C-alpha cells in the first residue's frame, strides 16, 4: 500500500517535472543487454512519467550492441545504450559514439564501494550497482553434501572440485571485472595463481554470462560465480538458490549513455533523468530486477528489504582500490591470458588440479616430505604465468592486441606461445602430483 | 551492353537460350549482391595485417601454427563424420519402413521427423540439459536407482549425439523423397531375377536413392561442421565454428583470426560439397517412369508390424525427447535438480500469449518468403547446372552453397556494412527494413533447398524433356509442365527444410532486428531466455514455434500427398 503510494507520488513528481520542462515525446530507441524483466517495468514507469514517450527496446548482448553501434554510426538511429559493463561504455566513448551530458538529478554519491559511479567526463552514468559473488543451488549442495562457501579461497578447496562454473571473462564484461579485482586485490602473480587453482576446480567456463545462473538454477552444477542480481532475481523467481558476497568484491555501476547524434536527443536526456530520479530508482527494487539503487535514500523504502546497502555497509566492495585505468589498458591481454591458459586448456588444467587434490589427500593420510615438495612444485607450475605484469603493460604487447602497422608480435602468435607454456606446465604439474601420490602410498 | 554480351555468351554456352542466360545472370547478381559482397566486406580482414591496409597471408600461417586451431579443425572433422554416421542410423530405418511398407502414420512420421530440425536456440539447449544433462532427469534417476550416470552430453561425443538428433531430418527428408521416386520396374526386374531382402536393398534400392542420401548426408556434414550453437551449449569450445564465433564476437575487427577461421570454414565446406558431387558423377540415377510413388509397398506381417512400429516409436521417442522436455518446461513452475518439475502451471503461456501473435506473424512471413525465394532459386540453379552447358554454371552451385559456411554473425555484420549506409527517401537506412531479414534468411537457407532440388532433378530423366520438346513444347513450357511437376517432392522437401530452419534462425537475424514489432519468434525467445523468470515463458514460446512450424510442415505434406494422389489417378 505504502509502496504504491510512494510510486504514485514519485510518478506525480516526475510528471510535474516533465510537464514543466517540456513534454519529451516520441520514440526513444534504446539498445540494451538487460532482460525483459528489467526493461519492461522501467519502460512502463518511464512512459507513465513522460506521456507521449515511447521506449523502443532492442535487446542485444553487450558485445553485439557495441558492434551494432559501431557498424551503424554513419546513419545512427539509436538514442541510448544501456548495459552493465563499464568497459563496453569505454569502448563506445573512445570511438566517439557517446554524447556527453550533465544530468540534473541530485542525491547520487560520487562512488559506490571504491568505484566511481559516473564517467568523469560525463559520457555515461551509473544508475544501479552490482557486486560479484557466489551463488549456489541448495538442493544440489544438500544432495552432494557440500558446505556453503564464503570467500573466493573456499572455491580452491578439493570438496568443490567439478561443481563450480564461471563465465569466460572475454565473454562477460562483469566477470572480467571480477578477474581484474582479484588481480588488483592480490597482485598479478598471486592473483593469477588463485585464478588458475580456482579454475582447476571448475566444472565449466561458460560462453554466456547467463549460462552460469541458468546452470545453477537447473542444478546442472552446484555453484556459480555470478553478479548479484542474477542470484537475487533467481531467488525471487522461486529457484532454490542462495548467494554470498566474498570480502574481496567489486561493486560496479550498471550504466546508461546517450548515443552521439541521437535522433531524439531530448527524450534520451529525459530517460537518463528518469532513471536517476527517485521514481526511476525505486523501480529497481522490483522482484524481477533487484539491483542496488545509487541513491542512498531509496534503501529506506520497504521494498528494499533484504538488499544490502553498499552506502552503509562499507565492507562491501571497499577492500580493493580499483584502478580503472590500469584495468582498461590491459583488458584485451588479461582476457586473452585467461582464455589461452585457462578456458582453452581447461581439461589439462583440471587433470593437473585433480592430481594435486589426490596427492594432498594421500599425503594427509601418510605424510612424506619429498611428496610435499613435489606437490608444492606442481602447484607452482600450475600458477606460473608466461608473462610478467610489466611485459603485459608494455607497448609491444599492447600493439599486438590493438594492431599496428609496424612489424612485431601478433596477437595470434602471442596467444599460441602462452597456450603452449600453460599446456606444458599443466602436464608437468600432473606428473609431479602423480609421483607425490605414489610416494604417499 | 547486354545485347553485345548475349550472343557471345550464347556461343560459349553452345545451346543455351537467352532465357537461361538471363536467369543465370540474375542469380549470379543476387548471390553477388546478397552473399558475396556483404561477406567480402567482413572477410577482407582475414587477408590484411592487423590494423588494416595491404595484403598478407601471415594470418593463415598463424592459423596453422596455433595448436588450438589445428586441434579444433580435427575435432570438427571428427564430429561431422560421426554425426553423419549416427544420423544415417537414425534416418535409414524411418525412411525405409515408410517407403517400403504400407505403414499407417507415414505422414505423421514425415512430419514428426522434421520436428527435430525445429529446435529453437537456447530453449532447446536448456531442455536437453534438463533431460540428458549431468543432473538431468535420466541421470538423476540412474543415480538414485543404480548409482551410475551416463555422460550423454559430455565432450565431442555429446556433440555428435545432439547433432545427429538435430540434423538427421536432412537425410530422412531427402532419402524418403528419393525412395519415393525410384522406378518400381527396377525393383521388379531385380526381383524377377531372384534378388530380394537385404540384397535387393543394398544392390538396387539404396544405390538408386543415392542422390537423395548424398544430398542429405552432405548437408548434415557441412551443417555440423559449421554449427556453433550445439558445441557452445555443450560447452565444447575447441571446434572451428565456435572458435570463429568467439573471436569475431569478443575480439572483433582488431583481430583477423576469426575471419581466417571463417575463410577456412567456407573453403572446407566447398571442398566437401565438391567431393559429394564427385561421388555422384558419371552415374545415371534418372528414371523415366513414375510408378505412382516409388517402391512397391508391401503389407506388414504381424511380426514385422510389431518390429516396425517398435523401431519407429523408439526412434521417435529418442529424437523427440528434447521437445518432450521443452513441453514439460513450458508448464513447469520450478524445475531444479529433480527428475520432474515441482509443479505445473499455465501461467507461462498466458504471459507469452499476448506477444506471440506478432512474433508468429513475422516468423511465418519471413521464413515463408525466404523459403519461397530459395526454391525458385534452387530449381533454377539445379536446372542450369544439370541441364545446360552454360559456362561457369557450376559456380552458381558453389556460390550458393558457400552460404552454408558463412557464420550467421558474419553475414549479419556484412549486411549492416553493406546496406546500412544506403538510405531510403525518408532517411531511414535500407538495413532497417524487415525485407533485409528475409534476404538474409533466404541466403542462409538457400543451400538446403538447392540440394533437395538437385537430388530431385537428378532423378528426372532427360528423355522426358526431349520427348516434350520433340512434341513441340518450348523449353519454358517443358520446365513448367514436365520438370517442375516431376520435382514436386524434392521442391517440397527443400521448402520444408528451408522454412523450418529459417524459422529458428537467430545468429544473423539478431544483428538485423531493429524493433520488437519486426522481430521473429527466435528473437522473442532470446529475450526471454536471458533471465531466470523468463525460462518458462521462453519454453512456452519455443513450443509455440515448434507447433507453428510443424503445422506448416504437415499442411505442405498434406497438399503434396493430395497432389500426388490426384496426378496418380490421372495416370
Amino acid at each position: 500500500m505504502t509502496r504504491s503510494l510512494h510510486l504514485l507520488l514519485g510518478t506525480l513528481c516526475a510528471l510535474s517535472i516533465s510537464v514543466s520542462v517540456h513534454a519529451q515525446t516520441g520514440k526513444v530507441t534504446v539498445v540494451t543487454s538487460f532482460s525483459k524483466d528489467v526493461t519492461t517495468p522501467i519502460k512502463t514507469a518511464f512512459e507513465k512519467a513522460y506521456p507521449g514517450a515511447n521506449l523502443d527496446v532492442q535487446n542485444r548482448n553487450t558485445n553485439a550492441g557495441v558492434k551494432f553501434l559501431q557498424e551503424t554510426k554513419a546513419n545512427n538511429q539509436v538514442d541510448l545504450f544501456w548495459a552493465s559493463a563499464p568497459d563496453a561504455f569505454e569502448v563506445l566513448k573512445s570511438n566517439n559514439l557517446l554524447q556527453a551530458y550533465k544530468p540534473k538529478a541530485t542525491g547520487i554519491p560520487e562512488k559506490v564501494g571504491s568505484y566511481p559511479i559516473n564517467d568523469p567526463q560525463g559520457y555515461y552514468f551509473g544508475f544501479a550497482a552490482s557486486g560479484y559473488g557466489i551463488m549456489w543451488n541448495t538442493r544440489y549442495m544438500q544432495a552432494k553434501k557440500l558446505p556453503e562457501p564464503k570467500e573466493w579461497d573456499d572455491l580452491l578447496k578439493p570438496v568443490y572440485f567439478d561443481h563450480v562454473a564461471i563465465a569466460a571473462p572475454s565473454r562477460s564484461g562483469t566477470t572480467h571485472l571480477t578477474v581484474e579485482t582479484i588481480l588488483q586485490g592480490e597482485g598479478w602473480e598471486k592473483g593469477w595463481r588463485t585464478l588458475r587453482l580456482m579454475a582447476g576446480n571448475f566444472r565449466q567456463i561458460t560462453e554466456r554470462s547467463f549460462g552460469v545462473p541458468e546452470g545453477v538454477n537447473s542444478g546442472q552444477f552446484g555453484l556459480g560465480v555470478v553478479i548479484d542480481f542474477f542470484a537475487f532475481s533467481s531467488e525471487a523467481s522461486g529457484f532454490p538458490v542462495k548467494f554470498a558476497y566474498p570480502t574481496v568484491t567489486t561493486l560496479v555501476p550498471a550504466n546508461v549513455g546517450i548515443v552521439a547524434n541521437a535522433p531524439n536527443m531530448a527524450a534520451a536526456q529525459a530517460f537518463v533523468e528518469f532513471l536517476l530520479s527517485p521514481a526511476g530508482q525505486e523501480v529497481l527494487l522490483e522482484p524481477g530486477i533487484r539491483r542496488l539503487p545509487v541513491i542512498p535514500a531509496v534503501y529506506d523504502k520497504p521494498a528494499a528489504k533484504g538488499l544490502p546497502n553498499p552506502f552503509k555497509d562499507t565492507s562491501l566492495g571497499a577492500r580493493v582500490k580499483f584502478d580503472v585505468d590500469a584495468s582498461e589498458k590491459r583488458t584485451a591481454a588479461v582476457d586473452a591470458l585467461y582464455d589461452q591458459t585457462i578456458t582453452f586448456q581447461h581439461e589439462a588444467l583440471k587433470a593437473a588440479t585433480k592430481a594435486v587434490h589426490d596427492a594432498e589427500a594421500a599425503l594427509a593420510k601418510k605424510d612424506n616430505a619429498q611428496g610435499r615438495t613435489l606437490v608444492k612444485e606442481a602447484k607452482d607450475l600450475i600458477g606460473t604465468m608466461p608473462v610478467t605484469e610489466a611485459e603485459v603493460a608494455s607497448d609491444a604487447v599492447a600493439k599486438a592486441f590493438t594492431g599496428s602497422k609496424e612489424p612485431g608480435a601478433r596477437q595470434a602468435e602471442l596467444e599460441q606461445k602462452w597456450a603452449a607454456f600453460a599446456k606444458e606446465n599443466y602436464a608437468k604439474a600432473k606428473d609431479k602430483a602423480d609421483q607425490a601420490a605414489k610416494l604417499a602410498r | 551492353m547486354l545485347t553485345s554480351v548475349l550472343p557471345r555468351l550464347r556461343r560459349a554456352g553452345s545451346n543455351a537460350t537467352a532465357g537461361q542466360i538471363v536467369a543465370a545472370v540474375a542469380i549470379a547478381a543476387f548471390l553477388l549482391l546478397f552473399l558475396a559482397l556483404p561477406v567480402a566486406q567482413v572477410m577482407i580482414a582475414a587477408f590484411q595485417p592487423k590494423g588494416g591496409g595491404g595484403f598478407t597471408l601471415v594470418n593463415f600461417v598463424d592459423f596453422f601454427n596455433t595448436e588450438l586451431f589445428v586441434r579444433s579443425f580435427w575435432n570438427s572433422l571428427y564430429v561431422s563424420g560421426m554425426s553423419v554416421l549416427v544420423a544415417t542410423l537414425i534416418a535409414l530405418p524411418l525412411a525405409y519402413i515408410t517407403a517400403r511398407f504400407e505403414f499407417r502414420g507415414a505422414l505423421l512420421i514425415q512430419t514428426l521427423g522434421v520436428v527435430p530440425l525445429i529446435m529453437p536456440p537456447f530453449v532447446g539447449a536448456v531442455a536437453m540439459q534438463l533431460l540428458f544433462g549431468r543432473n538431468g532427469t535420466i541421470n538423476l534417476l540412474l543415480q538414485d536407482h543404480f548409482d551410475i550416470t551416463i555422460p550423454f552430453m559430455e565432450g565431442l561425443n555429446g556433440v555428435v549425439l545432439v547433432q545427429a538428433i538435430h540434423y538427421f531430418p536432412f537425410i530422412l527428408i531427402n532419402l524418403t523423397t528419393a525412395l519415393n521416386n525410384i522406378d518400381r520396374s527396377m525393383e521388379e526386374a531385380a526381383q524377377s531375377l531372384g534378388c530380394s531382402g537385404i540384397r535387393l536393398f543394398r544392390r538396387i534400392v539404396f544405390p538408386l536413392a543415392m542422390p537423395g542420401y548424398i544430398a542429405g548426408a552432405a548437408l548434415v556434414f557441412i551443417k555440423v561442421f559449421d554449427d556453433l550453437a550445439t558445441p557452445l551449449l555443450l560447452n565444447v569450445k575447441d571446434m572451428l565454428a565456435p572458435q570463429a564465433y568467439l573471436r569475431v564476437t569478443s575480439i572483433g575487427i582488431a583481430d583477423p583470426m576469426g575471419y581466417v577461421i571463417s575463410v577456412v570454414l567456407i573453403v572446407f565446406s566447398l571442398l566437401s560439397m565438391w567431393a559429394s558431387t564427385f561421388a555422384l558423377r558419371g552415374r545415371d540415377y534418372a528414371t523415366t517412369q513414375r510408378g505412382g510413388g516409388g517402391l512397391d509397398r508391401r503389407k506388414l506381417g504381424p511380426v514385422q508390424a510389431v518390429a516396425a512400429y517398435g523401431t519407429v516409436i523408439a526412434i521417435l521417442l529418442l529424437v523427440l525427447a528434447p521437445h518432450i522436455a521443452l513441453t514439460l518446461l513450458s508448464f513447469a513452475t520450478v524445475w531444479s535438480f529433480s527428475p520432474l518439475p515441482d509443479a505445473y502451471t499455465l501461467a507461462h503461456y498466458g504471459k507469452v500469449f499476448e506477444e506471440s501473435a506478432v512474433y508468429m506473424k513475422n516468423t511465418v512471413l519471413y521464413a515463408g518468403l525466404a523459403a519461397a525465394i530459395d526454391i525458385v532459386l534452387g530449381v533454377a540453379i539445379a536446372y542450369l547446372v544439370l541441364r545446360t552447358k552454360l559456362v561457369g554454371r557450376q559456380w552458381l552451385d558453389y556460390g550458393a552453397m558457400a552460404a552454408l559456411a558463412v557464420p550467421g554473425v558474419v553475414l549479419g555484420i556484412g549486411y549492416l556494412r553493406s546496406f546500412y549506409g544506403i538510405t531510403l527517401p525518408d532517411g531511414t537506412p535500407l538495413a532497417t527494413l524487415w525485407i533485409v531479414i528475409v534476404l538474409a534468411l533466404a541466403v542462409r537457407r538457400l543451400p538446403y533447398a538447392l540440394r533437395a532440388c538437385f537430388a530431385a532433378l537428378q532423378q528426372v530423366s532427360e528423355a522426358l524433356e526431349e520427348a516434350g520438346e520433340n512434341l513441340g513444347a518450348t523449353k519454358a513450357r517443358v520446365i513448367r509442365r514436365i520438370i517442375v511437376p516431376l520435382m514436386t517432392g524434392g521442391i517440397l522437401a527443400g521448402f520444408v527444410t528451408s522454412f523450418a530452419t529459417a524459422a529458428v534462425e537467430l545468429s544473423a537475424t539478431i544483428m538485423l532486428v531493429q524493433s520488437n514489432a519486426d522481430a521473429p519468434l527466435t528473437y522473442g525467445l532470446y529475450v526471454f531466455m536471458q533471465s531466470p523468470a523468463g525460462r518458462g515463458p521462453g519454453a512456452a514460446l519455443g513450443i509455440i514455434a515448434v507447433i507453428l512450424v510443424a503445422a506448416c510442415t504437415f499442411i505442405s505434406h498434406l497438399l503434396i500427398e493430395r497432389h500426388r494422389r490426384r496426378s496418380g489417378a490421372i495416370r
Side-chain angles (χ1 to χ4, degrees):
Chain A
M1 184 61 215
T2 39
R3 187 168 156 233
S4 53
L5 198 69
H6 272 299
L7 269 177
L8 190 72
L9 282 176
T11 316
L12 282 176
C13 281
L15 227 138
S16 59
I17 294 168
S18 74
V19 170
S20 64
V21 176
H22 278 306
Q24 314 299 357
T25 54
K27 191 171 96 164
V28 205
T29 307
V30 46
V31 166
T32 180
S33 67
F34 295 135
S35 72
K36 236 185 166 66
D37 296 341
V38 177
T39 57
T40 307
I42 296 178
K43 172 184 157 80
T44 313
F46 171 66
E47 286 173 357
K48 221 170 172 185
Y50 291 83
N54 170 19
L55 194 72
D56 191 52
V57 179
Q58 290 185 23
N59 281 85
R60 292 195 163 81
N61 71 44
T62 310
N63 278 320
V66 169
K67 195 141 258 200
F68 182 81
L69 288 187
Q70 287 170 335
E71 296 293 343
T72 59
K73 65 179 170 200
N75 189 359
N76 175 47
Q77 303 290 313
V78 179
D79 298 299
L80 293 150
F81 188 74
W82 192 23
S84 285
D87 25 350
F89 286 86
E90 280 299 318
V91 171
L92 291 175
K93 182 176 146 191
S94 63
N95 288 344
N96 300 320
L97 289 171
L98 292 178
Q99 168 79 48
Y101 175 67
K102 200 168 167 8
K104 297 176 193 71
T106 52
I108 300 173
E110 196 120 300
K111 282 185 170 183
V112 59
S114 61
Y115 209 104
I117 290 180
N118 290 329
D119 170 45
Q121 277 96 45
Y123 282 93
Y124 55 93
F125 325 100
F127 72 94
S130 336
Y132 251 72
I134 307 162
M135 159 186 185
W136 60 87
N137 184 317
T138 50
R139 288 184 196 171
Y140 184 107
M141 303 286 272
Q142 206 172 8
K144 311 263 175 187
K145 300 190 180 64
L146 299 177
E148 294 187 349
K150 291 197 178 61
E151 295 292 337
W152 298 123
D153 275 348
D154 287 340
L155 297 184
L156 274 62
K157 292 180 182 159
V159 63
Y160 294 112
F161 183 79
D162 211 28
H163 293 304
V164 194
I166 195 173
S170 60
R171 311 292 302 164
S172 154
T174 33
T175 312
H176 171 84
L177 286 171
T178 305
V179 166
E180 187 62 52
T181 303
I182 292 175
L183 289 179
Q184 294 195 11
E186 301 194 355
W188 182 261
E189 299 287 336
K190 175 141 190 305
W192 275 111
R193 190 184 161 99
T194 305
L195 287 169
R196 297 270 194 85
L197 291 170
M198 195 193 293
N201 261 357
F202 286 165
R203 165 81 188 160
Q204 275 194 348
I205 298 169
T206 68
E207 176 258 329
R208 286 182 306 140
S209 304
F210 192 67
V212 179
E214 195 176 87
V216 176
N217 284 342
S218 69
Q220 294 309 316
F221 27 79
L223 311 94
V225 178
V226 296
I227 195 155
D228 52 12
F229 63 85
F230 276 152
F232 296 151
S233 58
S234 294
E235 216 178 340
S237 307
F239 287 101
V241 295
K242 281 172 91 175
F243 176 83
Y245 291 106
T247 330
V248 178
T249 186
T250 310
L251 282 181
V252 189
N255 304 285
V256 63
I258 301 172
V259 178
N261 302 319
N264 194 349
M265 187 64 81
Q269 292 174 355
F271 183 74
V272 172
E273 293 298 345
F274 173 74
L275 262 187
L276 303 182
S277 71
Q281 290 282 300
E282 277 174 46
V283 185
L284 299 176
L285 304 176
E286 295 210 1
I289 308 179
R290 300 299 278 177
R291 292 201 191 210
L292 311 181
V294 290
I295 298 184
V298 175
Y299 288 88
D300 301 335
K301 304 282 168 195
K305 206 170 161 246
L307 275 188
N309 181 347
F311 300 102
K312 266 203 186 128
D313 180 358
T314 45
S315 74
L316 219 56
R319 268 271 288 275
V320 181
K321 192 133 178 46
F322 196 86
D323 183 343
V324 189
D325 289 339
S327 155
E328 157 71 11
K329 246 175 124 177
R330 65 189 189 194
T331 301
V334 166
D335 283 348
L337 271 169
Y338 197 95
D339 270 351
Q340 295 303 324
T341 65
I342 296 175
T343 313
F344 298 144
Q345 304 294 339
H346 198 219
E347 254 172 74
L349 175 58
K350 265 181 96 164
T353 310
K354 180 91 182 64
V356 167
H357 289 333
D358 290 348
E360 281 181 335
L363 287 167
K365 277 192 203 130
K366 196 175 155 203
D367 207 1
N368 176 306
Q370 200 190 344
R372 292 268 168 214
T373 321
L374 281 168
V375 166
K376 191 189 166 293
E377 283 172 11
K379 277 186 162 175
D380 288 346
L381 277 168
I382 294 176
T384 313
M385 286 304 289
V387 273
T388 64
E389 187 170 15
E391 277 169 339
V392 165
S394 74
D395 260 11
V397 171
K399 273 185 184 151
F401 279 91
T402 52
S404 111
K405 301 249 188 263
E406 299 140 48
R410 295 178 303 279
Q411 180 176 349
E413 230 178 4
L414 279 181
E415 284 178 347
Q416 165 61 16
K417 219 166 74 188
W418 297 344
F421 178 90
K423 197 180 172 191
E424 203 189 315
N425 276 3
Y426 297 156
K428 278 193 211 153
K430 183 174 183 305
D431 275 352
K432 283 193 193 274
D434 285 344
Q435 282 175 37
K438 246 183 231 150
L439 287 171
R441 229 172 267 142
Chain B
M1 165 73 189
L2 201 64
T3 45
S4 68
V5 174
L6 269 181
R8 237 186 302 155
L9 272 175
R10 193 175 303 177
R11 248 175 285 127
S14 61
N15 65 348
T17 65
Q20 289 167 2
I21 293 169
V22 170
V25 171
I27 294 168
F30 178 88
L31 291 177
L32 211 61
L33 197 59
F34 297 114
L35 176 61
L37 286 181
V39 173
Q41 294 244 21
V42 182
M43 292 290 186
I44 193 159
F47 299 95
Q48 286 179 338
K50 199 164 182 168
F55 171 87
T56 177
L57 286 176
V58 71
N59 302 323
F60 287 85
V61 176
D62 280 340
F63 176 89
F64 289 106
N65 281 336
T66 302
E67 189 262 347
L68 176 65
F69 296 149
V70 175
R71 185 191 346 148
S72 301
F73 177 81
W74 290 115
N75 285 347
S76 288
L77 212 56
Y78 167 80
V79 166
S80 307
M82 287 300 287
S83 299
V84 170
L85 198 73
V86 179
T88 305
L89 292 180
I90 298 175
L92 202 57
L94 286 184
Y96 185 69
I97 291 172
T98 51
R100 154 73 23 179
F101 298 104
E102 276 181 19
F103 190 80
R104 273 166 196 276
L107 193 59
L108 193 67
I109 293 180
Q110 273 153 17
T111 305
L112 287 183
V114 180
V115 169
L117 272 187
I118 323 162
M119 172 87 91
F122 296 108
V123 275
V126 176
M128 287 285 269
Q129 290 285 7
L130 283 169
L131 199 61
F132 292 113
R134 187 172 64 143
N135 293 315
T137 308
I138 293 178
N139 273 330
L140 281 179
L141 291 176
L142 285 174
Q143 180 84 47
D144 276 358
H145 295 289
F146 306 103
D147 205 26
I148 51 161
T149 55
I150 303 173
F152 296 104
M153 308 265 288
E154 319 268 310
L156 294 181
N157 289 327
V159 182
V160 169
L161 176 75
V162 179
Q163 296 284 31
I165 289 182
H166 191 179
Y167 288 120
F168 85 90
F170 283 137
I171 297 183
L172 178 69
I173 296 169
N174 285 300
L175 192 59
T176 310
T177 314
L179 285 172
N180 283 332
N181 278 347
I182 290 176
D183 189 342
R184 188 176 296 174
S185 62
M186 298 275 186
E187 190 191 3
E188 283 162 2
Q191 280 171 325
S192 67
L193 291 169
C195 181
S196 65
I198 296 285
R199 186 177 159 85
L200 175 71
F201 179 78
R202 198 164 51 86
R203 299 298 294 270
I204 308 290
V205 176
F206 192 70
L208 280 173
M210 211 49 176
Y213 174 74
I214 295 274
L219 273 185
V220 174
F221 185 91
I222 301 179
K223 192 59 219 162
V224 173
F225 197 75
D226 298 331
D227 185 43
L228 56 96
T230 303
L232 283 181
L233 90 88
L234 296 180
N235 211 36
V236 172
K237 300 187 190 74
D238 43 0
M239 290 176 61
L240 276 191
Q243 280 296 328
Y245 171 79
L246 292 176
R247 291 196 83 102
V248 167
T249 53
S250 60
I251 307 181
I253 194 76
D255 176 68
M257 294 318 288
Y259 306 102
V260 170
I261 303 172
S262 302
V263 170
V264 172
L265 281 174
I266 292 175
V267 169
F268 196 80
S269 300
L270 289 181
L271 271 181
S272 28
M273 231 28 257
W274 175 80
S276 74
T277 37
F278 192 76
L280 293 175
R281 183 167 295 170
R283 297 195 205 152
D284 188 7
Y285 298 93
T287 49
T288 50
Q289 195 203 327
R290 292 264 124 178
L295 300 174
D296 187 17
R297 287 182 200 220
R298 290 187 214 139
K299 281 207 165 57
L300 285 164
V303 181
Q304 278 179 313
V306 171
Y309 280 101
T311 313
V312 167
I313 289 171
I315 294 178
L316 284 183
L317 269 183
L318 171 71
V319 299
L320 294 178
H323 296 80
I324 297 170
L326 188 59
T327 311
L328 280 177
L329 183 59
S330 72
F331 290 109
T333 50
V334 166
W335 188 359
S336 171
F337 201 75
S338 59
L340 286 172
D342 293 2
Y344 299 91
T345 169
L346 284 170
H348 305 319
Y349 283 93
K351 196 166 175 191
V352 295
F353 195 71
E354 237 171 80
E355 298 170 49
S356 55
V358 61
Y359 292 146
M360 277 164 76
K361 187 194 96 210
N362 289 337
T363 302
V364 174
L365 181 69
Y366 298 170
L369 277 178
I373 295 174
D374 284 345
I375 54 168
V376 170
L377 289 173
V379 171
I381 296 175
Y383 182 81
L384 289 169
V385 173
L386 291 173
R387 292 295 200 257
T388 71
K389 299 206 161 51
L390 274 178
V391 176
R393 59 191 186 283
Q394 210 70 47
W395 286 99
L396 292 179
D397 185 13
Y398 295 155
M401 290 309 289
L404 205 52
V406 176
V409 46
V410 168
L411 193 73
I413 294 171
Y415 269 45
L416 283 183
R417 280 192 196 172
S418 307
F419 307 124
Y420 212 88
I422 305 171
T423 48
L424 299 168
D426 68 346
T428 54
L430 182 62
T432 55
L433 292 186
W434 59 265
I435 194 76
V436 174
I437 302 177
V438 173
L439 287 169
L441 289 176
V443 165
R444 291 264 292 161
R445 298 311 186 218
L446 176 57
Y448 300 176
L450 182 59
R451 290 279 59 88
C453 294
F454 247 82
L457 188 58
Q458 273 169 327
Q459 287 188 318
V460 177
S461 170
E462 269 181 85
L464 292 172
E465 292 164 54
E466 282 157 16
E469 283 181 50
N470 287 343
L471 292 170
T474 60
K475 279 229 189 289
R477 193 175 158 83
V478 166
I479 294 176
R480 203 153 35 85
R481 297 300 297 271
I482 299 181
I483 299 183
V484 170
L486 286 178
M487 286 172 68
T488 325
I491 291 176
L492 175 77
F495 184 86
V496 166
T497 31
S498 287
F499 177 83
T501 51
V504 291
E505 151 82 41
L506 182 67
S507 55
T509 43
I510 191 137
M511 289 308 290
L512 297 171
V513 170
Q514 308 279 326
S515 84
N516 208 42
D518 284 342
L521 265 169
T522 45
Y523 174 84
L525 267 181
Y526 166 78
V527 174
F528 272 117
M529 292 312 280
Q530 297 304 313
S531 72
R535 207 169 72 152
L541 202 54
I543 287 295
I544 293 174
V546 172
I547 291 175
L548 180 72
V549 181
C552 292
T553 310
F554 185 72
I555 292 167
S556 31
H557 275 301
L558 217 55
L559 288 177
I560 198 77
E561 201 65 10
R562 191 176 297 166
H563 170 89
R564 183 177 286 164
R565 242 176 272 143
R566 216 177 28 214
S567 54
I570 294 166
R571 237 179 259 131

